Amino acid sequence: MKINRETIISLPKTDLHCHLDGGLRASTARDFLREDGEAVPGQLEEKLRVASDNADLEQYLESFELPCRLLQTAGRLERVAYELAEDAAAENIRYLEVRFAPLLHCEQGLTLDQVIESVLTGLEQAEQDYNIDTGLILTGLRQSSPEKTTVLAEKVTEYWNRGVVALDLAGAERGHPAKDHLEAFYVVRNRNINLTVHAGEDFGPESIHQAIHYCGAHRIGHGVRLREDEELLNYVNDHRIPLEICLSSNVQTRAVESYEAHPLPDYLKKGLRVSLNTDNRTVSDTTVTDEYLLAIEKFNFSLRDVRRLIINGFKSAFLSYDKKSEILEEVTLELEEQFFRRDLTVVDEL
Ligand SMILES: [Zn+2]
């Protein structure tokens, strides 16, 4: 049985690592540029996408310059958050965690509260219009001052239970250790709130070790270089610490040399809690469906593997245990029903 695009779209899915600015639709960017009276570049789609000859994470991050510059008003942030959830719902993502760095959207007068509230409003509206649940993750930047990350951490505690589900740390990994931001992590964990850290993407397993053991991360963004430290890998596996894998992005940022060199199949085989995510729908020019199809094509994943990745995604969500159990029960039944309806044999294998 061939697993095609239609099959993947029909299955309920998550996206736990999805940046707001990296998902700005080209058509929306065009509207914003026109509103501002700016010239619309001829190749706007290409301009928003990472260059294929992109060399590293730092160059990848340059692709966010235009979206950040355009997203400086409450109305735009609300619209873009809504559209991101709308795009996710269109490919049957049932639970979406959107992340963004609020401080980058305060450059033309918006306060942190206005920025956060605008994005929450957009996501809430999408939840009303579509069959999707969402959570918002506030991202601090490795290269900014630790004091700023602590201010953001306080915002996470203020908006906790009002749509914000975690604090994240992103940005250039090399030369900007996560432990510089310990105070912020403490603020969040001290209030029993979730923490995820981008690590092991542009730097070795020491960065993942630091994120987990010094900073107390509950999930790791990427973690592709975890395979270089077997003991740490076993710890991550034993403690069921989820890894948010983003295949296209990992190749584009040169976190791995090629898809074939990606550790995902090995991680899945070892039982690590790995899920598939977009990272950036526009910048990486991908969708969750594309990421599944890529995994099937490159690693010859079976429907059983697909099911495992989907379930891992729901298990890794920053949701309460009760809510997660409820969603997992629904999703498990739905997957069985979908597989049965499509005459897919995976049900017998479970
Ligand atoms: Zn990311």
Side-chain angles (χ1 to χ4, degrees):
M1 164 70 206
K2 189 162 161 41
I3 312 168
N4 57 23
R5 179 171 291 273
E6 188 211 347
T7 311
I8 298 297
I9 291 177
S10 75
L11 306 176
K13 297 175 288 297
T14 57
D15 190 355
L16 305 178
H17 192 130
C18 177
H19 292 263
L20 180 77
D21 43 2
L24 170 65
R25 290 178 187 165
S27 56
T28 304
R30 189 171 289 118
D31 290 350
F32 294 163
L33 285 164
R34 284 191 182 128
E35 271 171 30
D36 292 344
E38 281 194 49
V40 178
Q43 306 290 321
L44 183 59
E45 277 80 2
E46 280 71 23
K47 197 169 162 46
L48 289 167
R49 233 179 267 155
V50 68
S52 52
D53 59 351
N54 181 60
D56 58 19
L57 177 64
E58 292 187 23
Q59 286 190 16
Y60 183 85
L61 297 176
E62 285 170 13
S63 312
F64 296 86
E65 189 270 329
L66 178 62
C68 275
R69 185 160 59 78
L70 292 174
L71 297 176
Q72 297 294 335
T73 71
R76 288 184 182 184
L77 285 163
E78 185 180 324
R79 172 174 167 183
V80 169
Y82 179 88
E83 290 178 349
L84 186 56
E86 186 177 51
D87 290 344
E91 57 163 334
N92 211 4
I93 289 170
R94 298 292 174 76
Y95 180 68
L96 169 70
E97 282 176 6
V98 173
R99 62 183 72 196
F100 82 124
L103 284 159
L104 297 178
H105 304 275
C106 296
E107 284 168 12
Q108 287 175 25
L110 288 181
T111 63
L112 265 183
D113 290 299
Q114 287 170 324
V115 167
I116 296 165
E117 281 164 20
S118 306
V119 173
L120 286 173
T121 304
L123 293 177
E124 278 161 23
Q125 189 59 49
E127 286 192 4
Q128 283 170 24
D129 294 349
Y130 300 102
N131 183 19
I132 191 166
D133 281 322
T134 66
L136 182 61
I137 298 174
L138 304 187
T139 297
L141 299 169
R142 284 174 177 267
Q143 60 273 34
S144 78
S145 75
E147 290 74 24
K148 285 185 177 171
T149 314
T150 304
V151 168
L152 195 68
E154 299 287 357
K155 289 295 165 198
V156 172
T157 68
E158 268 178 57
Y159 287 89
W160 171 243
N161 285 334
R162 291 162 60 193
V164 170
V165 297
L167 175 70
D168 168 41
L169 189 73
E173 205 173 342
R174 207 169 286 271
H176 301 285
K179 66 181 178 186
D180 288 354
H181 304 265
L182 275 189
E183 176 67 24
F185 302 142
Y186 177 73
V187 166
V188 166
R189 284 185 296 119
N190 191 41
R191 293 284 299 273
N192 309 305
I193 300 174
N194 307 304
L195 174 63
T196 179
V197 174
H198 284 67
E201 179 187 19
D202 182 38
F203 204 75
E206 311 88 290
S207 176
I208 303 169
H209 183 277
Q210 189 179 109
I212 293 170
H213 295 301
Y214 284 71
C215 310
H218 303 106
R219 271 188 355 211
I220 293 293
H222 305 297
V224 291
R225 296 191 59 185
L226 178 64
R227 63 175 154 191
E228 294 168 35
D229 183 338
E230 199 183 338
E231 283 186 14
L232 182 62
L233 185 147
N234 289 338
Y235 180 90
V236 167
N237 205 6
D238 292 348
H239 290 268
R240 314 308 296 141
I241 298 172
L243 301 180
E244 308 151 4
I245 300 286
C246 312
L247 292 173
S248 297
S249 163
N250 293 159
V251 171
Q252 290 160 351
T253 64
R254 302 285 186 266
V256 287
E257 279 306 305
S258 63
Y259 290 109
E260 289 70 21
H262 201 286
L264 176 66
D266 189 39
Y267 286 176
L268 192 66
K269 203 168 152 201
K270 287 191 162 89
L272 283 160
R273 187 163 285 172
V274 281
S275 60
L276 286 183
N277 308 277
T278 53
D279 206 4
N280 296 286
R281 296 178 73 97
T282 304
V283 172
S284 280
D285 191 22
T286 193
T287 62
V288 172
T289 304
D290 288 332
E291 295 295 304
Y292 274 93
L293 291 171
L294 202 54
I296 292 163
E297 183 198 321
K298 301 291 179 188
F299 311 128
N300 201 24
F301 278 175
S302 66
L303 203 54
R304 189 180 192 175
D305 298 323
V306 168
R307 184 188 187 281
R308 172 55 49 206
L309 289 164
I310 289 176
I311 297 288
N312 279 349
F314 284 100
K315 282 186 173 173
S316 306
F318 283 144
L319 287 168
S320 69
Y321 179 76
D322 285 351
K323 177 78 181 163
K324 208 186 289 194
S325 305
E326 197 183 296
I327 293 190
L328 264 170
E329 199 177 315
E330 276 172 32
V331 166
T332 310
L333 284 173
E334 192 176 331
L335 286 173
E336 281 177 21
E337 198 254 340
Q338 285 280 0
F339 291 160
F340 179 75
R341 177 148 32 116
R342 287 163 189 276
D343 197 21
L344 301 172
T345 53
V346 71
V347 175
D348 299 328
E349 296 175 31
L350 294 175

